[in-house]
Every structure is written in structure tokens, then in C-alpha cells.
Amino acid sequence: MATAYEYDDATAAAANYDDQAGPQRQDLGYDPNFVPDSVKSFVVHLYRHIREKNVYEIHQMYETSFQTLSERLFKETPWPSVDAVAHYVDNDHVFCLLYREMWFRHLYARLSPTLKQRIDSWDNYCSLFQVVLHGVVNMQLPNQWLWDMVDEFVYQFQSFCQYRAKMKTKTEQEIALLRQHDQAWNVYGVLNFLQALVEKSMIIQILEQEKEGLEQFTYTDGYDYNGGSNVLKVLGYFSMVGLLRVHCLLGDYHTGLKCLLPIDISQQGVYTSVIGSHITTIYHYGFANLMLRRYVDAIREFNKILLYIYKTKQYHQKSPQYEQILKKNEQMYALLAICLSLCPQVKLVEETVNSQLREKYGEKMIRMQRYDDEAFAIYDELFSYACPKFITPSAPSFEEPLVNYNQDAYRLQLKLFLYEVKQQQLLSGVRTFLKVYSTISLAKLANYMEVDEPTLRTILMTYKHKTHAVDSEGKIISNADVDFYIDDDMIHVIESKPLKRYGDYFLRQIVKLEGVINDMDRIKLD
Amino acid sequence: MGRERDTQKMQQQVSFTVEQLVTVNPYNPDILPDLENYVNEQVSSETYSLDANLCLLRLYQFEPERLSTQIVARILVKALMAMPAPDFSLCLFLIPERVQMEEQFKTLIVLSHYLETGRFRQFWDEAAKSRHIVEAVPDALWLTRGQNAGFEQAIQSYAIHLLSLTYQKVPRSVLAEAINIEGLSLDKFLEQQMATCGWSIEKGHGKGQLIVLPSNEFNHPELKKNAADSVPLEHITRIFPILG
């Protein structure tokens, strides 16, 4: 069961390296002080572009050049140390922090960080964020980079919690280091940094004022065309997504969604300007709604994003995020399969998405709706595959015998999820019967379902309860595809009429007519 | 009398500050005692704040040595009272498994299970047996209602909500079982509901009274507002250039 829950760190095989001392492993021909010419050229140009606020060039170098050099020269070793390149860039403090951020990100992606490196990376983030929070940064950086910073920050936190929770294989040295640096990747620190970025950037107020036309943020994709800097504002913006993600990792879905509230996900926004941010936002939004039993909201959003990915993934084939995009795509299909099994509202799913879904999970969905033991096994499998990597945020007690507790958080969420699924076990049977009858007496239905009448009444009420979710404002929203009401002892099935969208129809025709008139105007008559 | 008003006012000031704390500075171990006091205050003043309670449960997650099972039990009872909202599950997501294995929490989970699956008879039976747990939430003792009146009322309110979703007309016996009121007390209750909530009573065929519940969009399909007909303003604004 737990085997489907993979430890997502790249090169899982290299995890053994954690036990050895750092320098030994990275000694495979790695000289931190050796700076190839291409790297020298890279940092010099990047530094210049940043000083000249040439966002386009920065983006090119960040997205393409960095990847190319990594692929060619640093496939299995880190980049040159920051000390070795500092003098090429006037020892600029901020540039060095940015360089180190990329340095660590590369390390995490290609190799396996040692404990010391994890701690150093934390220190670097602290310095970097503090510089940004003091408002002295005057750069314009591409949204992709700013998103990657927040994304990586949360990822390294999650990775650290997973690492720390595996106490069994820790050496004396490592335990001593952990005790000494108890501030590193401390959950309070992580959350407070994200919160500080949101607050100091005043991004919530900016978004509010934008609705009244008093601010321009989304319109300019977050960039500042008045000579200022976009860094704090955009980091603040992406930190809201970061907070959503951290809260999901903790199992606090309600607060996570609350953190995302200032961003209107029914519209385009800065969060859609970077595909990684778009996907992460919707993935966590959908997952949180699934756990809150707001299945329709989850289905709607998964449907939109899966369609979007289907149409646009070809454009991202060369990008370093491509693998991640594909992975999240698969996970969201799994989550969609779960949602639709619990709440069969197939009308909400677009044709293309639906056919993909049938292909990947058609069979499994049929079996899930049988609610037998096999069904629960499939729910378990899909949930474990698609869920976030939940964490235990507290530090271990170093006194107790050393055990691995990195799976505890995941096991709890899985258990509670399956518990919920179990409570919905009998609803599928009710649905089947309700689809066939327009009215049926309680006695008759009880007979068919092989239960007594009082039990049937409770089953019907359970159906009503589970299909009527409470939204964020406390209103009751019906998720039910098939509905009914009871008059004394008679069940009346409510037929769902297809919704006629008059409003949309008129809007479309108005625009069409305008188009025709414009075309006619263009025809010159002699 | 005066002293009561003072404490009430003080309580109002304190809760104002706690709500602010939860919004502005939630990731702060120092506010843990304030949040714990706030839970007790919610219990005694019959108020409720999901955000504050989730904030506290998170802090307990960050520092498990400071977890107070008594406080957690109170939070869970308050969450039960918030049904049909899924608050109880939301709280469980944040409580470590080994804590959930303790007797009082296992009982609370069973109670929640009964409510989630509409098994009101079993719920009231179990609640009666587990008074000592439910009494972890003592009600304002200076009011002269029955003990745990707040808790009972909240569950009855949920039961009525569920019945209103399901039934246009519900047999008296079903209602009685759901809200745990019988005989003369039930008659009195029905009179109250008829006067204030628009309930009415019919004669059921042979079996006794039939209670007619108020119409809403869930038990009367014709009342369902066709949401598809309403057009959001943002869509209209897109054609302003044409209309103008």
C-alpha cells in the first residue's frame, strides 16, 4: 500500500550519499574553484543584464543558458562555488545570493544535498528574503525566476522535513548538527517568511485596488514600468500560492484556500503567466477542495487545467519544467478520477479531458464505484499516487529511540480520506435505483436494497448530506447529479433538466452580429 | 449584575484581539495560551471560530509537547456542533493519529460518524452514554436551560437541516428520533416551530402526524433557481464596446 507513495527527490538511489561526508561524494573530479570560461561569461553577462534591467535577456539566460551549461558541464557536479565567481561580478552581494540560490537548486535537482548543504541553503534563503523584505532591491527579474524561488523554497522545506523524519539512519554527526541548527527549515521560519513577503509587498491591497482600477499589476504581468522593482510584489504574490502549498502539506486545507483567496482563479492573472505556478495553484486548490468534499469545485478546476495542459504542453517540451508538468498532469487525472467516482458529474468534464480520463482510468473508475474491497484498494492507490507529500512539521525528539516517522502524516490523511469514502459506500446503490424510477415507495426500495426501512431512511439522508456541500461562505451547494425528495413514505426523483444558457447564447449572437455588420461596412459600393 | 457586564465586555475585547492575532500573526508559538483561552471562551459564550481553532491545532502540530487533550476535545465538540460544515474532519486532519486513538477521541469520532450517516438514534444513545465527554463543553451555567443545552440544540438544528433537505413531509416518529424529543415536549416544540418557522402538521394516513417542512430549493425542485440564466456582469462588460 505504502509503496505507491514515492519519495519524490531526484536520484533516490543517491540518497545513500547522505550518510557519507559531503566532500567525499562530490570529489568526483569536482573543484569548486575551477571556473570554466563559459561560466565566467555566463555570470558576467547575467550580472550586466540584471544591472541594466533587461528582463528579456535575463529570462533567456536563466531559462536556456543555465540549463544548457548545466547539461553540458555540470551533469553530476555542482556549479563552481560562489566565492570563485564573485570577483567577476564586483562581489555584488545580491547577485551572489541569487547565484547561490541557483547553485543550490541545481544541486537538489541533480545530486543529493548533505545536511550541511541543506542548512546552508536555508541561510541563503534567509539572507535573500531579508534583502528583499528590506525593500532595497532595485531589480526586475522574470516571473519564472521569482516563481522558481518560492517554489523551490517550499520544496526544500518539504524535502528537509522528509529527511529529518528518517531518524533511523542518522549518524551521531548528523544528529549533533540537527540539534545545533534547530532554526534551519523550522516551520515557523518558513511560514513567517512567506507571510512577511505577502504583507510587506502589500500584494493583497494591490489586488483589491486593481479591481477598482486604481492599480496596475495583472495588466503588466507584475512588472514595474515606472522604473521600480517587481521583485517584492511578485514574490509576495507567489508566496500566497506558497502558503496554500505549505498548508496542504500540513493537512490544513481550509486555511490553505483562505491564503489563496485574494487570487481570482476564475480569471487569468500573474499566476497563469508561469505554467509551473498555474499548475501548482490549481493542483493544490483542487486537492484542498477534494478533502473539503467540494467535489464540483475540484472537478471544474481540474477540467480546465487538464484541457489547458493538453493544448499547450507541446510548447514546453524543451523547458526544464516539462517533466514536472507531465507528472502533475497524471496526478490530476488521478484526482479527477477520484472526484468523479465520488460525485459522478460527467457533464462538467470536457470531451477531450473525458476521453483521456477514460483511457487512463476508465476501468478503475468502474471498479471504484462498486465500493467493495477492491474499490477501496484502488482509492488508496490513486490517492497515494496523487496526493501531496505531507510532512510532520515538528522536530523529532532526540531522546526517544530513533525511528522513521516520515510516513506518519501521509498515513493519517490517507486513513481519513478512506474513512470518508467508506461513509459514502451505499450512495452508489441509491444512485443506480434513483436513475431508474421517477417515484418509488420506501418499502419497495428498501426491499430492493435489502435493508429495512429505518436503515433506508438513514441511507437517503446520508446521500443528501454527502451531496450537499457547505461552501466557503456557509451556503449549501448541491453536488448531486440525481436528486430526490420524500413525501411521507414516497420517494420522488427530481429530473435534472438540461440548463438552457440563454444569457451566453445572446452574448454570442450579439458579438456575431457586430462582426457581420463590420464586415458589411468594409464592403465598398461603387 | 455590573460585574457580569464587565466580564462580558472584557471577553469581547479579548476575542477581538485573538481574531486579529489569528489573521495577522498566526505562526507564532507565543499566542498558544491565548488561543487555548479562546477555546474555553467559545465554549462558555456559545460562540465559535474555526480559524482560531485550526490555528491552535496547527501550533499543537508544530509543538506536540504542548498539546492539551482537554482543549482538543473541546475543539472537536464545537466542530461537531458546526455540522453540516465539515469542520470536524478539518480538525481531525491536524490531530496526530496516536492522539486520535485515545478513548475520548474514539468516542467523538464515532459520534461524528453517526451524524455524518444520518444515524440519529444511535447518535443520541451514544451521546447519552458519553455525557462525560460531551460535558467537556459545559454551557453557560448562569443560564437556566438544561445542561449541554447548546450542544443538544446544535445537533437538533443539524438534524432539522438534514430533514429539510430530504423531506417535504416527514412522519412524526422520524422527526422525534432525529431530534431526540418525544411526547409532550415534542408537541411544544412543534408548536414553536409552527409559530416561528412555518412548519405545519397534517394527518398522515393512519400512522399519525405528518410534519410539513418549509419549502426550499432542495426539497422542492421547482424552487431551484436556474443559475444558468444569470449572466455575470464581467461577461456583459465585454460587449460594452458593441452596445455603446
Side-chain angles (χ1 to χ4, degrees):
Chain A
M1 226 176 23
T3 49
Y5 187 66
E6 288 151 26
Y7 187 7
D8 212 20
D9 263 357
T11 64
N16 297 324
Y17 282 134
D18 265 358
D19 295 355
Q20 300 169 18
Q24 268 179 338
R25 173 197 29 95
Q26 285 161 3
D27 234 359
L28 321 157
Y30 172 59
D31 175 10
N33 294 313
F34 171 61
V35 182
D37 279 339
S38 42
V39 174
K40 174 179 168 193
S41 168
F42 174 81
V43 298
V44 164
H45 283 116
L46 184 59
Y47 178 56
R48 181 163 57 88
H49 291 316
I50 291 179
R51 276 186 22 246
E52 293 172 1
K53 290 190 170 177
N54 192 331
V55 175
Y56 178 74
E57 287 295 335
I58 299 173
H59 189 243
Q60 287 298 103
M61 296 201 70
Y62 173 79
E63 270 278 277
T64 317
S65 316
F66 186 76
Q67 300 307 324
T68 321
L69 284 174
S70 297
E71 192 57 37
R72 200 156 39 94
L73 298 173
F74 305 111
K75 244 186 148 126
E76 283 162 19
T77 63
W79 275 59
S81 80
V82 69
D83 298 321
V85 302
H87 62 277
Y88 296 125
V89 293
D90 302 336
N91 288 297
D92 185 285
H93 177 59
V94 177
F95 184 86
C96 288
L97 292 174
L98 290 172
Y99 179 83
R100 283 200 97 200
E101 201 267 326
M102 290 163 67
W103 191 95
F104 280 113
R105 204 162 353 120
H106 167 86
L107 183 84
Y108 269 81
R110 302 270 181 164
L111 302 156
S112 201
T114 62
L115 176 54
K116 181 75 179 39
Q117 285 167 337
R118 291 178 188 269
I119 295 171
D120 288 341
S121 179
W122 163 258
D123 287 335
N124 192 57
Y125 274 118
C126 287
S127 308
L128 183 56
F129 287 151
Q130 265 155 16
V131 161
V132 172
L133 286 166
H134 273 114
V136 294
V137 155
N138 197 23
M139 315 176 281
Q140 286 249 68
L141 295 177
N143 286 347
Q144 178 73 56
W145 193 344
L146 294 170
W147 162 253
D148 283 342
M149 267 188 227
V150 175
D151 193 37
E152 182 70 16
F153 181 63
V154 177
Y155 168 70
Q156 290 191 11
F157 167 59
Q158 169 196 303
S159 172
F160 182 80
C161 288
Q162 294 280 350
Y163 160 82
R164 182 177 56 182
K166 292 186 185 159
M167 290 300 289
K168 251 209 254 186
T169 49
K170 293 279 180 287
T171 64
E172 292 276 329
Q173 216 182 11
E174 284 168 320
I175 295 180
L177 210 53
L178 275 172
R179 288 177 102 137
Q180 190 189 2
H181 295 271
D182 59 352
Q183 287 310 302
W185 298 113
N186 183 295
V187 64
Y188 288 117
V190 172
L191 283 167
N192 280 315
F193 263 125
L194 292 172
Q195 175 86 341
L197 285 167
V198 172
E199 260 160 44
K200 205 72 203 299
S201 64
M202 313 252 306
I203 186 65
I204 298 181
Q205 291 87 323
I206 292 176
L207 290 172
E208 275 299 305
Q209 291 182 322
E210 187 172 49
K211 285 194 202 140
E212 304 173 21
L214 299 167
E215 270 280 357
Q216 268 197 353
F217 179 74
T218 310
Y219 185 66
T220 59
D221 255 355
Y223 292 109
D224 187 312
Y225 293 119
N226 300 323
S229 160
N230 72 334
V231 175
L232 178 57
K233 274 189 287 194
V234 176
L235 279 180
Y237 182 91
F238 285 135
S239 292
M240 291 191 283
V241 182
L243 283 168
L244 164 64
R245 193 168 154 201
V246 175
H247 283 284
C248 283
L249 291 174
L250 297 172
D252 187 354
Y253 308 107
H254 171 90
T255 313
L257 288 176
K258 237 181 143 198
C259 292
L260 189 69
L261 217 47
I263 298 180
D264 181 0
I265 60 165
S266 69
Q267 308 232 13
Q268 301 275 6
V270 174
Y271 77 102
T272 53
S273 67
V274 176
I275 186 153
S277 142
H278 193 180
I279 291 177
T280 303
T281 305
I282 302 299
Y283 166 81
H284 288 94
Y285 174 87
F287 188 83
N289 274 291
L290 163 63
M291 298 306 265
L292 281 164
R293 303 187 219 147
R294 297 191 199 141
Y295 303 118
V296 169
D297 286 331
I299 293 170
R300 276 215 186 95
E301 289 306 319
F302 284 141
N303 176 58
K304 272 192 337 204
I305 190 94
L306 288 169
L307 187 62
Y308 178 74
I309 296 175
Y310 182 81
K311 288 187 185 157
T312 59
K313 66 178 178 214
Q314 50 185 316
Y315 304 118
H316 296 276
Q317 265 172 3
K318 299 277 175 54
S319 123
Q321 288 101 26
Y322 192 57
E323 258 182 62
Q324 254 301 306
I325 295 174
L326 293 180
K327 173 101 200 259
K328 277 281 172 294
N329 188 52
E330 292 305 306
Q331 285 178 317
M332 288 193 285
Y333 270 109
L335 292 177
L336 185 59
I338 291 177
C339 289
L340 285 171
S341 300
L342 293 170
C343 172
Q345 290 259 24
V346 194
K347 294 184 259 120
L348 294 174
V349 182
E350 224 265 346
E351 192 48 54
T352 328
V353 174
N354 200 18
S355 65
Q356 289 276 305
L357 183 67
R358 296 287 144 212
E359 225 184 272
K360 296 176 205 278
Y361 293 111
E363 250 246 52
K364 290 199 166 144
M365 281 172 71
I366 297 173
R367 286 189 275 163
M368 285 200 282
Q369 296 195 42
R370 287 195 202 126
Y371 284 96
D372 51 18
D373 282 337
E374 199 201 341
F376 290 122
I378 302 178
Y379 273 112
D380 184 323
E381 181 199 322
L382 292 186
F383 183 88
S384 302
Y385 169 69
C387 68
K389 296 280 175 279
F390 302 110
I391 56 172
T392 307
S394 53
S397 155
F398 298 103
E399 325 299 327
E400 282 164 20
L402 304 180
V403 288
N404 285 355
Y405 62 90
N406 58 313
Q407 298 261 12
D408 287 2
Y410 148 73
R411 267 202 290 262
L412 175 63
Q413 302 299 313
L414 173 67
K415 178 174 166 197
L416 292 171
F417 170 72
L418 289 176
Y419 189 70
E420 175 66 36
V421 173
K422 196 124 214 286
Q423 280 179 347
Q424 302 197 22
Q425 192 168 17
L426 293 163
L427 305 189
S428 164
V430 169
R431 246 185 217 109
T432 321
F433 283 109
L434 290 181
K435 283 205 175 126
V436 185
Y437 291 94
S438 57
T439 51
I440 180 171
S441 72
L442 279 167
K444 216 174 178 189
L445 183 54
N447 197 13
Y448 289 154
M449 291 184 71
E450 294 175 2
V451 296
D452 61 20
E453 250 187 69
T455 309
L456 178 60
R457 284 186 196 271
T458 62
I459 295 174
L460 290 171
M461 282 210 286
T462 310
Y463 181 92
K464 278 289 192 174
H465 172 58
K466 295 295 186 187
T467 56
H468 288 73
V470 184
D471 75 2
S472 47
E473 278 137 39
K475 258 181 61 199
I476 305 291
I477 308 278
S478 169
N479 280 339
D481 53 331
V482 177
D483 214 345
F484 66 91
Y485 64 86
I486 306 180
D487 187 345
D488 189 7
D489 60 352
M490 209 56 178
I491 304 170
H492 298 256
V493 180
I494 301 169
E495 249 187 80
S496 48
K497 291 187 283 276
L499 304 168
K500 282 206 166 84
R501 308 189 75 98
Y502 294 116
D504 278 356
Y505 180 78
F506 276 121
L507 281 171
R508 275 203 306 275
Q509 298 304 313
I510 290 173
V511 173
K512 214 170 169 185
L513 177 63
E514 184 69 12
V516 168
I517 293 180
N518 285 339
D519 285 342
M520 281 171 40
D521 277 343
R522 269 189 237 122
I523 301 172
K524 289 191 174 63
L525 295 170
D526 291 320
Chain B
M1 254 304 154
R3 215 177 297 146
E4 260 175 43
R5 238 183 286 132
D6 277 345
T7 40
Q8 256 182 25
K9 196 159 164 233
M10 240 171 58
Q11 277 172 351
Q12 268 171 17
Q13 282 177 338
V14 169
S15 51
F16 188 57
T17 330
V18 172
E19 291 287 0
Q20 273 187 324
L21 280 176
V22 168
T23 318
V24 170
N25 193 9
Y27 316 120
N28 176 2
D30 296 334
I31 69 173
L32 193 141
D34 295 296
L35 291 172
E36 287 181 328
N37 290 333
Y38 195 43
V39 172
N40 293 327
E41 203 196 294
Q42 289 174 51
V43 161
S44 58
S45 61
E46 289 188 33
T47 50
Y48 178 60
S49 170
L50 175 66
D51 287 325
N53 295 346
L54 287 177
C55 187
L56 178 56
L57 289 176
R58 278 198 311 264
L59 292 181
Y60 282 155
Q61 232 194 7
F62 302 165
E63 293 176 83
E65 337 73 70
R66 294 172 82 179
L67 187 145
S68 152
T69 48
Q70 199 194 42
I71 298 279
V72 174
R74 289 187 175 170
I75 292 178
L76 285 177
V77 174
K78 284 302 256 182
L80 265 188
M81 290 161 67
M83 286 196 77
D87 296 6
F88 191 85
S89 309
L90 295 184
C91 294
L92 280 189
F93 288 135
L94 295 173
I95 301 171
E97 209 173 332
R98 56 176 168 74
V99 174
Q100 292 187 30
M101 302 292 257
E102 289 180 29
E103 226 25 71
Q104 54 174 333
F105 295 108
K106 284 217 265 212
T107 309
L108 285 168
I109 292 172
V110 166
L111 287 176
S112 155
H113 177 71
Y114 287 147
L115 288 179
E116 286 282 332
T117 52
R119 296 192 185 124
F120 291 105
R121 185 174 52 79
Q122 289 95 320
F123 170 80
W124 293 115
D125 284 343
E126 187 66 38
K129 275 193 272 172
S130 323
R131 282 209 94 82
H132 57 286
I133 293 171
V134 170
E135 261 150 38
V137 190
D139 263 343
L141 291 173
W142 59 78
L143 297 172
T144 50
R145 286 180 290 174
Q147 271 243 317
N148 305 309
F151 180 75
E152 273 181 65
Q153 269 190 348
I155 305 300
Q156 285 164 341
S157 165
Y158 164 64
I160 292 171
H161 155 83
L162 208 47
L163 291 171
S164 304
L165 287 183
T166 316
Y167 291 91
Q168 280 188 359
K169 299 182 189 164
V170 57
R172 182 189 163 106
S173 54
V174 174
L175 172 65
E177 189 179 88
I179 59 176
N180 200 35
I181 305 180
E182 279 281 325
L184 290 172
S185 318
L186 181 55
D187 290 327
K188 228 173 100 188
F189 179 80
L190 287 171
E191 265 173 44
Q192 236 181 357
Q193 294 294 106
M194 291 197 310
T196 55
C197 299
W199 289 24
S200 63
I201 303 186
E202 278 178 16
K203 195 97 178 55
H205 37 269
K207 287 178 287 152
Q209 286 176 323
L210 214 55
I211 288 91
V212 183
L213 294 168
S215 320
N216 56 55
E217 65 179 287
F218 302 111
N219 63 7
H220 276 78
E222 63 271 20
L223 291 180
K224 194 163 184 178
K225 281 172 278 198
N226 200 349
D229 263 355
S230 56
V231 186
L233 183 60
E234 295 93 60
H235 292 185
I236 307 279
T237 53
R238 284 188 217 142
I239 63 166
F240 273 169
I242 302 175
L243 299 174

